[in-house]
Amino acid sequence: MATVHLRIGDLVWGKLGRYPPWPGKVVSPPKDLKKPRGKKCHFVKFFGTEDHAWIKVEQLKPYHAHKEEMIKINKGKRFQQAVDAVEDFLKKAKGKEQPVKDDPHFHHFLLSQSEKPASSMEPISKRLKIIEEDSGSTSIQAADSTAINGSITPTDKRIGFLGLGLMGSGIVSNLLKMGHVVTVWNRTAEKCDLFIQEGARLGRTPAEVASTCDITFSCVSDPKAARDLVLGPSGVLQGIRPGKCYIEMSTVDPETITELSQVITSRGGRFLEAPVAGSQQLSNDGMLVILAAGDRTVYEDCSSCFQAMGKTSFFLGEAGNAARMMLILNMVQGSFMATIAEGLTLAQATGQSQQTFLDILCQGQMASTFVDQKCQNILQGNFKPDYYLKHIQKDLRLAISMGDMANHPTPMAAAANEVYKRAKALDQSDNDISAVYRAYIH
């Protein structure tokens, strides 16, 4: 095969590890970043991500010559968004006298994700870092997106995962893609079949998974389900031995976390809570935000797992803090979604175009992918769940209760909670959170 000669500024398809080729651009590496010794490679910044890396020349192909081929073999929303970003960049650059590499539109695109100049970029292998705040109780782990990052070395520890719902399914899929050894269990056993085909092992009970795995994750619907999984018949607690790790990823109240932490550690186990902020789509894309608290050594042992499932993870100190933070985040999201739905219905009631309302909204300060997607779903009558309405209502209820215990008012959350309760009464529980819209039109 003929050698392809590339220069700074060339658009390429670059391949990292076992992930599919991704569109990027050959750029100049930071001055302090040396080229890997003995290897022919180029430094590439990938579109639609914060990733950049040295890529071997044999893993690079010219963008235009292989565009149709790559689009045929690769699917996924994030992939399409990356391709769209390249095409948009090319349209803006077309006809300009200055070379592509100097086009300000491209540099604007690069900065739109990371908001960092090129000189601050670090190799993927160095981007996992811990930053201690003055309080000493909070740290941030800047993990990598797994969409194209093939540099993660999976832990050699055996991983267990309990719960294959909207969030858990995407998490397990990404753990497997990154080479982790995973044993799965789900209350509805049929949901395990797909993951067994992908290489997962099957656990017969939560107790068996906990006893045969080094680290066991759980991601279920609510506090009762979380407690039952640990304390019920053939529950996790029966499989906990000294040194075994248990990680609760469900969004529950701090009291439940405290209880589970105590019973796990009473058996010599190690406990971490790690609820996730995101949706089914973000889970599938490996772009969740993970909030962790509890045993710091467990957090560090799970580094490769968190990198596989999320783009960023935060360590928040003692167990219970992650639950508190997650409830606050979901309280804000739930209240915001109810307000957006209220605006759409008020626009309709006053004779205004809902589409125009959305168009204006998406040009202002509140513009976001969340707003655009949820509003488009509402206008299309598409309420396929990306995050269950019943779960956001549960989170609002728990956040209000947390406010009561802290003697702190939560009037906006309380009002939003009533709207979601109305939506549940209209049989919207198993629809997406955007189905709260229907509470205003019935």
Side-chain angles (χ1 to χ4, degrees), residues 54 66 124 151 157 162 195 280 327 344 365 369 425:
W54 287 107
H66 296 271
I124 287 175
S151 67
K157 297 182 183 299
L162 312 174
F195 301 99
Q280 181 185 31
L327 289 178
L344 280 168
Q365 291 180 318
T369 301

Side-chain angles (χ1 to χ4, degrees), residues 130 139 141 155 157 214-215 243-247 265 268-273 292-304 306 315 317:
I130 305 269
S139 65
Q141 178 191 36
T155 178
K157 297 182 183 299
D214 302 302
I215 302 172
K244 296 288 186 180
C245 301
Y246 187 66
I247 303 177
T265 55
R270 301 155 63 202
F271 181 84
L272 186 78
E273 60 167 330
D295 189 324
R296 178 59 175 269
T297 62
V298 178
Y299 174 69
E300 293 169 352
D301 286 346
C302 293
S303 174
S304 72
F306 290 153
F315 184 79

Side-chain angles (χ1 to χ4, degrees), residues 110-130:
L110 292 183
L111 295 175
S112 68
Q113 297 296 322
S114 61
E115 297 183 356
K116 297 179 181 180
S119 61
S120 70
M121 294 192 297
E122 297 174 315
I124 287 175
S125 60
K126 293 184 179 179
R127 287 198 359 246
L128 179 65
K129 52 187 178 182
I130 305 269

Side-chain angles (χ1 to χ4, degrees), residues 333-401:
Q333 177 176 276
S335 300
F336 183 55
M337 184 69 251
T339 300
I340 293 297
E342 188 172 295
L344 280 168
T345 53
L346 182 58
Q348 185 178 46
T350 56
Q352 304 305 303
S353 164
Q354 291 181 319
Q355 183 61 58
T356 301
F357 166 74
L358 174 57
D359 292 341
I360 296 170
L361 191 65
C362 288
Q363 292 298 317
Q365 291 180 318
M366 289 188 292
S368 68
T369 301
F370 176 83
V371 170
D372 184 45
Q373 289 180 342
K374 295 305 180 185
C375 288
Q376 291 291 358
N377 288 348
I378 289 172
L379 297 183
Q380 296 166 13
N382 173 21
F383 298 106
K384 180 182 177 181
D386 194 37
Y387 193 95
Y388 284 120
L389 184 143
K390 61 184 178 185
H391 289 170
I392 202 70
Q393 191 273 320
K394 173 262 298 182
D395 296 342
L396 282 163
R397 173 174 54 80
L398 294 177
I400 293 166
S401 176

Side-chain angles (χ1 to χ4, degrees), residues 22-43:
W22 203 266
K25 182 190 177 195
V26 178
V27 298
S28 297
K31 293 181 180 179
D32 59 347
L33 184 58
K34 303 295 184 183
K35 180 183 292 189
R37 188 173 298 176
K39 295 181 179 179
K40 293 183 178 180
C41 52
H42 292 283
F43 195 72

